[in-house]
Amino acid sequence: EEEVPAPLTLAELVARRDDGSAVLDTRDPLDFAAGHLRGSVNVGLHGRFAEFGGDVLSPDRPVVLVSEPGTGLEAKVRLSRIGFDRIEGALADPVRALLEHPEVVEPSSRLTVAELEDRDSEVGALQVVYVRNPGETALGVIPGAATLPLPQLTARMSELDPARPTVVYCASGYRSSIGASVLAAAGFDDVSDLLGGYDAWKMQHQTGREKEPKV
């Protein structure tokens, strides 16, 4: 029978992170965006958690969890099924720990479609990254986006410029939160993800076109 991951204080968790452990935050992307431990990767437990966790983490690297209270065991069991057996503990009382230590916490930037377009016109050299699979990109992409499917993101990160403002998007916003957190943890300076993903972008652009006068 699996045991609940050992509870870690924030200081213990930070020490493990600094020692090379991956910090996996399994909370909902909105909670992660509001504030998370710097350097952590967000794979929300409510989605295809083990599959996407396996895409962006390496099974030979120790993992420490930041999870909603009572969900650490579920995360550990789901990861162990795909060969991740180095789960070294979970942050005790994460909400309180993160609130009490703002010096180690940072928010994530999540943009609406309108904010993305404002940002694009302000920055000029915005780096837009699409983390869906090749079959899905056939359904359409935002013009100018680089396509790096999530399973290839870590291996192909060198194709991107960490100093350029970067926006990651997917279909709906779950994988883009994962992808954006992976880039931020790897040292990209300015990373956002797109709320609502391609679906939201497409909807806005279809409505926009309908409003244009017919020539």
Side-chain angles (χ1 to χ4, degrees):
E1 194 172 303
E2 290 276 2
E3 285 181 19
V4 174
L8 300 173
T9 64
L10 186 65
E12 289 169 333
L13 192 87
V14 167
R16 290 181 188 234
R17 177 199 69 184
D18 294 348
D19 241 6
S21 293
V23 180
L24 178 60
D25 191 319
T26 68
R27 296 174 302 152
D28 182 271
L30 286 172
D31 294 326
F32 180 82
H36 56 269
L37 185 65
R38 200 171 287 113
S40 45
V41 169
N42 176 222
V43 185
L45 196 58
H46 67 278
R48 282 150 58 190
F49 169 70
E51 176 189 343
F52 293 140
D55 284 344
V56 295
L57 296 172
S58 154
D60 52 10
R61 186 177 173 197
V63 173
V64 285
L65 299 170
V66 176
S67 298
E68 292 289 345
T71 62
L73 181 59
E74 182 191 343
K76 182 180 170 185
V77 168
R78 286 170 71 180
L79 288 169
S80 70
R81 288 186 191 138
I82 60 159
F84 282 73
D85 48 16
R86 300 189 65 187
I87 311 300
E88 299 204 326
L91 180 60
D93 199 353
V95 173
R96 184 174 164 193
L98 296 176
L99 275 175
E100 287 179 356
H101 294 275
E103 72 282 0
V104 295
V105 172
E106 64 183 7
S108 301
S109 163
R110 308 197 85 194
L111 304 180
T112 62
V113 175
E115 287 168 336
L116 168 69
E117 305 199 326
D118 289 348
R119 196 79 212 281
D120 197 23
S121 52
E122 278 167 29
V123 172
L126 199 61
Q127 181 166 240
V128 180
V129 182
Y130 198 36
V131 291
R132 292 171 83 188
N133 295 324
E136 296 173 288
T137 55
L139 305 171
V141 295
I142 297 176
T147 302
L148 273 73
L150 195 62
Q152 299 171 20
L153 185 60
T154 312
R156 294 178 55 196
M157 207 180 280
S158 59
E159 295 173 30
L160 302 172
D161 179 353
R164 265 173 74 189
T166 302
V167 178
V168 180
Y169 76 102
C170 63
S172 62
Y174 174 74
R175 276 177 286 179
S176 60
S177 180
I178 302 172
S181 68
V182 167
L183 295 180
F188 278 61
D189 294 336
D190 175 350
V191 187
S192 308
D193 83 303
L194 183 63
L195 284 163
Y198 181 72
D199 297 348
W201 184 86
K202 190 174 164 191
M203 194 178 297
Q204 184 133 333
H205 282 255
Q206 281 173 336
T207 352
R209 276 203 298 276
E210 281 154 21
K211 288 178 189 150
E212 287 168 14
K214 293 204 164 65
V215 178

